[in-house]
Amino acid sequence: MSSDSYDHKRIESKWQARWKSRRAGEVDLRNSRDAYYMLVMFPYPSGDRLHVGHGRNYIMGDALYRYLRMRGRRPLNPMGWDSFGLPAENAAIERQVHPYDWTLGNIAAMKEQFLRWGILYDWSRELSSCTPEYYRWNQWLFVKMLEKELAYKREAPVNWCPSCQTVLANEQVVEGRCERCRTEVVQKTLSQWFLRITDFAERLLDNLDGLDGWPERVKVMQRNWIGRSEGAELDFELPDHGETLTVFTTRPDTVHGATFMVLAPEHPLVPRLIADSPDRSEIEGWVEKVRNTPRIQRETEERDKEGRDTGAFAVNPATGDRIPIWLADYVLPDYGTGSIMAVPAHDGRDLEFARQRGLAVRLVYHPEDEAVDAATMTEPVLHRGVIRNAPPFDGQHDGPDTVARFIDWIEEQGWGRRKVTYRLRDWLISRQRYWGTPIPVVYCDGCGIVPVPESELPVTLPYDVEFTGRRGNPLERHEGFLAAVCSKCGGAARRETDTMDTFVDSSWYFLRYLSARDDERIFDSKLAAEWCPVDQYIGGIEHAILHLLYARFVTLVLREFGLIEFEEPFTNLFNQGMITRFSEESGRIEKMSKSRGNTISPDRLIDEMGADTERVYTLFLGPPDEEVEWNQEAVSGAYRFLNRVWRAAEKLAEAPPTGPADDELERLRHVAIERVTRDMEKFKFNTVVAALMELMNALGKALEERTASRLTCEQTFDTLLMLLHPFAPHLTEELWEARGHPENLLESQWPSYDEAKLQASRVTIVVQIDGKLRDRLDVAVEAAESEVVDAVMASPKVEQHLEGREVAKTILVPGRLINLVTRPSA
RNA sequence: GCGAAAGUGGCGGAAUGGCAGACGCGCUAGACUUAGGAUCUAGUCCCGCAAGGGGUGGGGGUUCGAGUCCCCCCUUUCGCACCA
């Protein structure tokens, strides 16, 4: 860049060194007056080179932080590292680097990056989830939950690579094959640990209504995920087996149309039902195949419904008919009861299956306007119709009311009961991997599963393990780790080798920041009461469901434990949009990422134009909550703006203007304060930058033309520096200091504006005739209505357009416009 | 299929129901320069010489007045998706 540009390198390193040495972001939590807890989602130190797209939420967070400080708050803005995770273990396997060392190196690099961006955090409470000081409290939490039966162990399927002999995460399964060795992945059943989030389904759902500070779309996604369905459980007798088959349905009012039953192949009753079937071995083979199909494949692929006839029968309680029992893979084992009554006439999936197998179709609802024949229909009747063939309800119409009365009636008949079902499933936290929090239990031959007592926590992860990428979890081959003592009987025991899902780490970290160095307890309840819930959380939309739901769940659990009193962890949530860029590889606009080769390195950008330029441009390039495209050429606009600010300072010092007091510049100063303050509160950073550019343009003009007074220009410039500080902290601090102010900008008071000064003394009134713009008039702001009307009537343009017409009505919006509504002259 | 959000210049995008296109990029012309990828000035929605007319995905409506509110349609993006 040109030597005419300001020396951003010198300025930025100077201020970064000062902030570091003065630990500028630290907060004394004991003084909680005006407590404001803001939180930017802690990052996973992945080892990828950071690019400008990563900076967006941290830069936004820092702008907000600096703004809040200048508004007189003492915001807490901590940062830490979500440092357990799969990439570390992959790096260990591929590059023979220990995950711990690899992670530590990445953290150091990222921390350096935050410094270079000029971002202030309270590093005195930095935490890293892969340290025993942190994960010991994951273990503590787990043991507590085990005590309260909120944690339990059961069989559950996992993705299994037969060649690597290891469990795969969903993201390691690519097109049904192992990401590393391309072997076809199968489903395998292992005994695994779960947390009972389903106990809280209703609270998690109901509380969403009170989260006014959350984006609607996140709440919608969580509602869908929890998936509440109201309906009934119905009992179907199996007379030949002396059993009762219970199904869940949201449409119990269609029970008369249930012409067959379908069970998930995994349903526990299946072996008994097929025991006498001539096709028994074939069916067993098929069930086994379905069982081994990875769940992702079964759920995501568009495929024909596969099924088998068990040869067994159930009795429809409403009709008394014997109806066949089928197995099909479109019925899922872990939703509802894992079995359904099939009503092909009123359900698309059931109809499709019935048509393929030639099963009976029986209509309950008949559309009034069109004749539908059960024997030939190809589309289910889903809309409202008249009920027939359902005796006490004959002639009625469908609707929530009818369904509710139908359920009452069903209960009277003793066929079933009202029931609410959730789609949400318990949280599977077991991971058959090394790099995570060890689950603190031991297996004792005599005592069974025994939790590790609190006094023996943490169960630390051994450092000396071998990474081969084959044959499962390295912890299983570490004798020193495996050998344990049962705390109940004192006998030899074997330690659990599963580690926890990393979402456990992030589900409560916001509480740990408050007590980051406390080795007596998970966190201090008193501090939590004063600082929580988090006032403002900033993070990407990718966490809309899992992380944010788990954090809400754990908050409810901690409340049950009596450690906190609030139910919801995050009062306000802001989702920043991603930064995208055109990718040469795909020819499309995509999220920035290393693999797509469309990244921009912040290092080079900072070298060339400075961190302040990157910050200003990042916040200027579009609405903060929307996805925006990085335009490398447009960055120079931000750079030019900052250079203009620099030159304005030079001009002000070297050749101050000597004009008269300039009311208009003073007015624009107040307008800028008002606009910037209002938009900061709404996170509209892009329009804040625009407002600052406008103020700079006005000031630049005054300085150039030497029209304003020195005092007005200096006041305007100081205001500009204050308003710009959250965006360009280095440059503004430097110029503020050069202007001779003793306090740093960061410690200064945000400027206030005078309502009375926002109004110009003369305003342009827009003159409309019948809603169309015809003229503009310059009038004094305090002009009376009659004066304005007189002035309008005197306008030649108005006269011209009023020819042959007369004014029927006049609408005057003071200070803005006048609209003359006309009609033909009499 | 269900649910949600959004469609504005060459581009990113502004606009408490009140001058559409702020601000920035790009572009055009000029000034200063040995030079310009620096800086400054002016211009830049479309048609038209002008007066004027048209214009915020399409169609309707409410209103003195609609990018903004309501209804229908189209398109795009996102989320969920065999959830009984």
Side-chain angles (χ1 to χ4, degrees), chain A residues 338-364:
Chain A
S339 52
I340 62 163
M341 64 173 196
V343 184
H346 305 297
D347 182 285
R349 297 152 298 174
D350 295 344
L351 184 61
E352 188 191 328
F353 193 73
R355 287 287 176 248
Q356 280 170 19
R357 315 279 154 170
L359 293 160
V361 178
R362 180 184 157 101
L363 277 159
V364 181

Side-chain angles (χ1 to χ4, degrees), chain A residues 666-808:
Chain A
E666 175 65 1
R667 187 182 74 84
L668 291 175
R669 185 174 79 89
H670 284 268
V671 167
I673 298 169
E674 194 272 340
R675 279 174 65 187
V676 170
T677 306
R678 177 162 38 88
D679 288 353
M680 282 302 290
E681 294 290 335
K682 290 189 284 189
F683 284 38
K684 296 179 72 175
F685 304 121
N686 54 331
T687 54
V688 168
V689 177
L692 294 171
M693 285 172 166
E694 280 180 68
L695 184 62
M696 181 58 235
N697 290 345
L699 176 63
K701 195 161 197 162
L703 288 173
E704 192 64 35
E705 295 170 1
R706 305 174 63 81
T707 48
S709 75
R710 178 176 184 164
L711 183 66
T712 313
C713 287
E714 285 182 347
Q715 278 178 349
T716 304
F717 189 67
D718 282 353
T719 298
L720 178 69
L721 291 180
M722 288 194 269
L723 299 179
L724 180 57
H725 180 258
F727 295 74
H730 311 87
L731 173 67
T732 50
E733 284 289 14
E734 179 70 14
L735 293 176
W736 187 254
E737 191 179 69
R739 292 265 308 124
H741 295 289
E743 287 268 286
N744 287 336
L745 260 180
L746 188 60
E747 311 303 337
S748 302
Q749 190 70 37
W750 189 255
S752 56
Y753 60 91
D754 181 351
E755 197 78 41
K757 289 195 174 173
L758 298 178
Q759 192 59 254
S761 60
R762 293 192 73 78
V763 288
T764 302
I765 293 276
V766 171
V767 182
Q768 295 181 343
I769 294 174
D770 295 321
K772 286 199 184 299
L773 173 71
R774 293 303 179 194
D775 201 2
R776 294 188 172 93
L777 287 179
D778 191 41
V779 300
V781 70
E782 66 277 3
E785 180 167 349
S786 59
E787 289 177 61
V788 176
V789 172
D790 288 349
V792 167
M793 288 313 184
S795 150
K797 283 188 183 169
V798 170
E799 197 182 352
Q800 187 190 332
H801 282 97
L802 281 181
E803 221 177 85
R805 302 189 71 80
E806 62 180 25
V807 176

Side-chain angles (χ1 to χ4, degrees), chain A residues 602-616:
Chain A
D603 297 331
R604 229 183 101 190
L605 184 58
I606 289 173
D607 278 350
E608 285 179 5
M609 294 188 248
D612 282 337
T613 295
E614 185 186 342
R615 292 174 59 120
V616 169

Side-chain angles (χ1 to χ4, degrees), chain A residues 415-428:
Chain A
W415 299 345
R417 61 217 75 82
R418 184 167 264 110
K419 170 82 179 173
V420 175
T421 293
Y422 295 91
R423 203 189 76 120
L424 183 69
R425 294 178 174 113
D426 276 339
W427 178 9
L428 198 173

Side-chain angles (χ1 to χ4, degrees), chain A residues 519-550:
Chain A
D519 55 10
E520 298 292 318
R521 55 202 154 168
I522 182 166
F523 59 84
D524 180 344
S525 292
K526 198 165 153 279
L527 288 176
E530 284 167 10
W531 287 86
C532 287
V534 171
D535 294 283
Q536 183 66 60
Y537 198 13
I538 301 175
I541 187 72
E542 68 273 18
H543 292 109
I545 298 172
L546 299 180
H547 164 59
L548 289 170
L549 195 62
Y550 294 147

